[in-house]
Structure formats: structure tokens, C-alpha cells
Amino acid sequence: MNVSDLEKLWNIVCRNLQHELGGPVASSWISPLSVDKFHAGVLYIKAPSMFLRDWVVNNYLSLILELCKKENKEIKTVELFVSSPRMIVKSEFGKIQEFVPKNEEPDRLGVPLDSKFTFENFVVGKPNEFAYAAALRIAESDKSAFNPLFLYGAVGLGKTHLMHAIAWSVKARFPRKSITYMSAEKFMYLFIRSVRYKDTMAFKEKFRAVDVLMIDDIQFMCGKDSTQEEFFHTFNALVDNNRQVVVSADKSPSDLDGMEERLKSRLGWGLVADIHPTNYELRLSILQSKASTCPVKIPGKVIEFIAHKITTNIRELEGALNRIVASAVFIGREITVETAEEVLADLLRFNDRKVTIEDIQKKVAAHYSIKLNDMSSARKVRHVALPRQVAMYLAKKLTTLSLPEIGKNFGKDHTTVLHACKKITQMMEKDGNLLEDIKLLTKALS
Ligand code: ADP
Ligand code: MG
């Protein structure tokens, strides 16, 4: 098909889609699409944003394919891609050039990178600025600056996003470097397979040949001794050869229970950067940035409302925004705080149930009949110190806050919180009364 045939075909398909979906839906989701090319049975369609692409793929792809096939039998699949944001980068020879992240085929080893997860699309705020700076530093230096970079934080806060961003940026600057990104789960799968097929030499060789190795969600290796051991050797071999290793987890290296001591300590040698739970300002800027690529306009008041109410993580924040947009487009509802409240009812209920550190401090202080002030005082007498440690322990258990953040609320640093958590955990095993107290408090708080 030549260009004008393609355009003709796409116009007919669009008209039929409009007929099937109705005017408002088609004009929101279908009109922004354009046909790009036809090659080897695949019709390539360009979408202006990842948001739109995902939506169309999830909701209309089979319909689009069906309608396309009706017009031309040679079309076997339809693929939507994003006309990606361009990155301006400085190459390894200092030349300024343009680089367009493209979704790629899986390489020999790793899994494909998401073209949306770039530094450009990463909104920086207090909770993630350190991790962002560390990731940028790794991406920009040609020699490994810290090994490994260890990124950690709760789910949905941007660890995977930052890892992909490093990979994109290295790819743009150093096109010849080989970068392998995969989950710890995939690493284990490949390792076990290589053992089963007696192919471990090839496995080792492949991994030792990469310039940048990124393993996501390494907590998955906890309790899996032989995988850990293999990873430990791979890791050391790479570091010895000045290759860069980047690792992510949901906990700090020292908190990775079920991880071999030598691996734990080795993982903590480089740069450890944690991503803290979001604050209001960060949530607001992320929503503003995502809303600017939405097909409908979202009032500032609604954005503030979501930023205020959805506090768990960024993935959920995106989900909330998507839902609101969908309800506006499908049911044609005006976007207001009231409609948002309705559309997000279940999410809001869940977020409301979240325990705050103040709740914990109040409940624990009342339970032990001490003053609320004593929660953050420097007094060390036991009848104050123990309840304080109990509160720290509960804060770690019942909230998503990081150790340093919990510490701040008690006027202490993160090592004090860590110590409190360990101590209470140990004491609970021997002290029935304490165990009972903790059970009661946990119940009252959740
Ligand atoms: P994690 O790996 O920590 O569980 P992800 O990296 O998968 O989290 O992030 C979850 C979602 O939130 C992704 O869609 C990601 O693009 C988005 N996200 C996370 N942090 C940011 C940020 N700072 N700016 C923009 N989007 C973000
Ligand atoms: Mg992740």
C-alpha cells in the first residue's frame, strides 16, 4: 500500500469507528491517531501520548483490527506506538544530538524498556530528588561512579521508572554499550533454566558481557539461595570489570531478610538511595504533568482534590486520573469535585482507612497513659521509652513511611527507629503482655 492508499484506508476505518463508538468517544480517542505505515502484515498507528495509546489498546484495539481487516485482508495486526518525546542529549564525544526513545524488541537477555519511563517524564520533588540525582549521575558518567546503585522504596513510587530512565539515557549517550534490564524473577528463571539445560557457562558469559546490568525488585531473591549466589558472582565479576550495576528493592539492603549476609553487605557498598512516599506537592505536580497530556481538560480543583485524597502511591494516582477522564469521555460527565468523588469512591475509602503516624502516637500514648509530647521527647526513662518504641514499631508496620520519615516524627534518626523495630520484634517473642498490647493497638488502629 502506498501512502495515499493507507490514508484512504485509515479514513474509512475512522468513519466506521465513529459509527460504532459514537461521535464523542471517537473524537476523543480516535481522531488524535494517525496512520504511519504498513509493513509485513502490521499496520502501524501513531498516538500522541502514552496515555491515549494505552487507553485505545486496552479498549478498542480488537475493534480497530477487525475494521482494518475488513478493508484489507493483508493486515494481520495493528500496532499503536507513541510519537515519542524527543530527548536532547550530549553524546560521548560531546556532540549535542537528538534521541527518540522507541519501544524495542526484546534483546538477547533483558526485557524491553518502556518509552514513557524517561528522565524527562519523571517529576522531581522532595521525596524522590535524591534517588533522581543518583540515577542521573549514573546515567551521565562514563565510568561507574558508585557500584551498585541501590534504589529502594515502597511499591509504585518510581523505582522501575528511574531504572528505565537510566537505560534510555545511557543508550542515547553511549550507543555501543550493552544494557540489560530485567526483574530478579527473570534472572532466577534464566538461571534455573541454564542449570536444567546444563548451560550455565553460556549464562555466565552472557551476563558478564553487559556494560550496565539492572535487576529490578531484588527482594524477590530473598530465600532463594542458589540464585543469590549466582547473582553475587555475576555482580562481583561485573564490578571487577568496571561495569555498572543498578539494583532496586522494596527495602534497604540491611532489611532484606532472607538475603545472604555477604550479598546484603555488598549491595550496601555503593550508593543507597531511597524514594520516600509522596507528599502533596509532588502528587500535585505529577497530576498536573499527566493531565496536560489528557484528551480532556481537568479543572485545577479536581487535580487538587485527587492529590489530597489519593496518597498511597503514584501508580494509584495515575489510575485515579484515568478513571476520571474515562467517565468524562464515556458518560460525557462534567469533571467536578463531586463527580470525581463518586467515580473514585472505592479508592477514596481505601485511602481514608490509612493510619497516620499521629493516630499511632495518640493511641499508644493513651494506651500507656503517657503524654503525647513524650512521643518526641528525649526522655529515656523506661515507662516513656518503651511506648515510644512500640509506636515506632507500629508506624513501620502500619504505614508506608520510610524509616527516616518515621524517625522525624519522633525527633530521632532512622537508626533509632530500626533499633526500636528490632527490639520490639524480639521482645514480643518472650513477653506475652507486650504481644497482647501490640495486638490490641493494631486492631484499634486498623
Ligand atoms: P515501582 O517500580 O517503584 O513500583 P514504577 O516505577 O512502576 O514504581 O512507577 C509506577 C507508575 O508511576 C509508573 O507509571 C511511573 O511512570 C509513575 N511514576 C512514578 N514516579 C513518577 C514521577 N516522579 N513522575 C512521573 N511519573 C512517575
Ligand atoms: Mg517496579
Side-chain angles (χ1 to χ4, degrees):
M1 276 186 278
N2 63 30
V3 178
S4 92
D5 287 343
L6 267 183
E7 296 278 348
K8 246 184 250 156
L9 174 135
W10 184 242
N11 279 337
I12 297 171
V13 171
C14 283
R15 224 176 301 132
N16 293 340
L17 279 167
Q18 190 170 2
H19 189 73
E20 296 275 339
L21 301 172
V25 174
S27 72
S28 296
W29 302 109
I30 307 299
S31 323
L33 304 176
S34 57
V35 65
D36 186 63
K37 64 172 186 234
F38 176 70
H39 177 71
V42 185
L43 185 69
Y44 292 89
I45 304 290
K46 197 151 68 179
S49 70
M50 201 68 187
F51 178 86
L52 200 122
R53 189 202 81 137
D54 291 349
W55 187 271
V56 173
V57 168
N58 289 333
N59 294 283
Y60 311 119
L61 192 61
S62 46
L63 178 62
I64 295 177
L65 178 62
E66 190 189 314
L67 295 174
C68 288
K69 276 182 169 166
K70 220 187 266 170
E71 299 309 315
N72 188 324
K73 292 216 166 25
E74 284 170 43
I75 299 176
K76 299 286 177 251
T77 50
V78 171
E79 256 195 55
L80 269 84
F81 67 97
V82 181
S83 34
S84 305
R86 281 151 205 284
M87 295 161 62
I88 303 296
V89 299
K90 219 162 148 191
S91 80
E92 62 188 301
F93 310 111
K95 208 172 78 192
I96 304 285
Q97 61 187 31
E98 210 177 60
F99 177 79
V100 182
K102 271 200 221 79
N103 281 327
E104 50 175 16
E105 289 299 306
D107 63 5
R108 224 161 24 112
L109 264 185
V111 297
L113 301 166
D114 190 322
S115 63
K116 167 180 76 159
F117 290 178
T118 59
F119 282 124
E120 283 73 10
N121 288 343
F122 192 83
V123 181
V124 186
K126 265 259 166 297
N128 60 23
E129 64 184 3
F130 181 57
Y132 171 81
L136 205 58
R137 177 76 191 277
I138 295 287
E140 287 181 347
S141 48
D142 48 355
K143 276 197 239 66
S144 58
F146 326 91
N147 238 334
L149 169 62
F150 189 100
L151 292 170
Y152 78 95
V155 65
L157 296 181
K159 301 182 294 294
T160 299
H161 189 136
L162 276 181
M163 291 176 105
H164 286 211
I166 295 173
W168 285 123
S169 179
V170 173
K171 261 181 200 300
R173 287 190 173 75
F174 310 103
R176 279 186 305 274
K177 281 197 178 178
S178 80
I179 302 155
T180 292
Y181 163 89
M182 70 176 66
S183 62
E185 199 172 355
K186 169 114 193 248
F187 182 88
M188 181 171 99
Y189 164 78
L190 292 176
F191 172 60
I192 290 177
R193 203 179 59 175
S194 80
V195 172
R196 183 176 320 136
Y197 294 110
K198 302 198 170 36
D199 200 18
T200 49
M201 275 319 288
F203 174 90
K204 282 182 203 295
E205 268 164 30
K206 272 188 211 154
F207 273 95
R208 280 155 179 65
V210 301
D211 293 304
V212 182
L213 177 65
M214 310 209 204
I215 303 289
D216 207 349
D217 291 317
I218 198 147
Q219 72 274 3
F220 182 84
M221 283 187 197
C222 289
K224 292 160 181 131
D225 296 347
S226 51
T227 304
Q228 277 178 36
E229 174 157 3
E230 186 58 37
F231 178 68
F232 183 72
H233 293 311
T234 305
F235 178 97
N236 285 331
L238 288 173
V239 171
D240 285 347
N241 282 310
N242 291 318
R243 312 292 172 84
Q244 181 67 49
V245 180
V246 182
V247 168
S248 86
D250 62 352
K251 300 180 199 67
S252 74
S254 56
D255 283 344
L256 287 170
D257 295 332
M259 198 69 106
E260 234 188 295
E261 280 309 319
R262 58 173 187 175
L263 182 54
K264 261 199 225 179
S265 92
R266 192 62 194 82
L267 287 171
W269 275 10
L271 182 65
V272 178
D274 62 341
I275 308 188
H276 298 253
T278 60
N279 58 20
Y280 177 74
E281 290 76 22
L282 179 62
R283 292 196 294 275
L284 198 62
S285 2
I286 288 175
L287 286 169
Q288 280 161 348
S289 131
K290 310 245 176 216
S292 69
T293 68
C294 280
V296 287
K297 178 150 174 33
I298 302 169
K301 280 255 172 305
V302 174
I303 292 187
E304 285 164 23
F305 173 77
I306 310 175
H308 198 70
K309 291 288 189 176
I310 308 286
T311 55
T312 39
N313 65 47
I314 299 169
R315 193 170 295 137
E316 208 156 90
L317 208 58
E318 289 180 333
L321 191 67
N322 289 357
R323 267 209 228 170
I324 288 179
V325 172
S327 88
V329 172
F330 291 124
I331 318 172
R333 285 173 92 173
E334 200 193 339
I335 303 180
T336 64
V337 172
E338 287 72 37
T339 55
E341 225 167 352
E342 230 173 273
V343 173
L344 304 177
D346 54 330
L347 276 182
L348 295 176
R349 234 176 292 126
F350 180 77
N351 275 271
D352 271 349
R353 239 191 297 137
K354 255 189 47 186
V355 191
T356 66
I357 216 156
E358 294 84 54
D359 297 338
I360 294 173
Q361 291 180 331
K362 271 189 208 147
K363 271 263 168 353
V364 175
H367 182 86
Y368 288 101
S369 314
I370 63 167
K371 288 203 287 293
L372 184 58
N373 277 349
D374 277 332
M375 281 292 162
S376 46
S377 76
R379 294 178 64 196
K380 290 204 169 90
V381 286
R382 190 181 147 83
H383 81 277
V384 174
L386 182 73
R388 193 157 56 214
Q389 289 175 326
V390 167
M392 288 181 197
Y393 168 85
L394 287 171
K396 182 74 195 117
K397 229 179 80 179
L398 303 177
T399 72
T400 53
L401 297 176
S402 64
L403 293 174
E405 267 182 330
I406 294 172
K408 234 184 278 157
N409 283 278
F410 291 87
K412 303 281 184 304
D413 69 4
H414 71 281
T415 50
T416 311
V417 183
L418 192 62
H419 172 73
C421 293
K422 286 196 172 139
K423 189 169 155 204
I424 295 295
T425 311
Q426 281 166 6
M427 280 175 72
M428 269 167 23
E429 286 172 12
K430 296 186 208 105
D431 183 341
N433 287 337
L434 180 67
L435 183 66
E436 207 46 46
D437 283 350
I438 302 260
K439 276 192 189 154
L440 270 174
L441 284 163
T442 306
K443 205 159 157 218
L445 282 161
S446 359

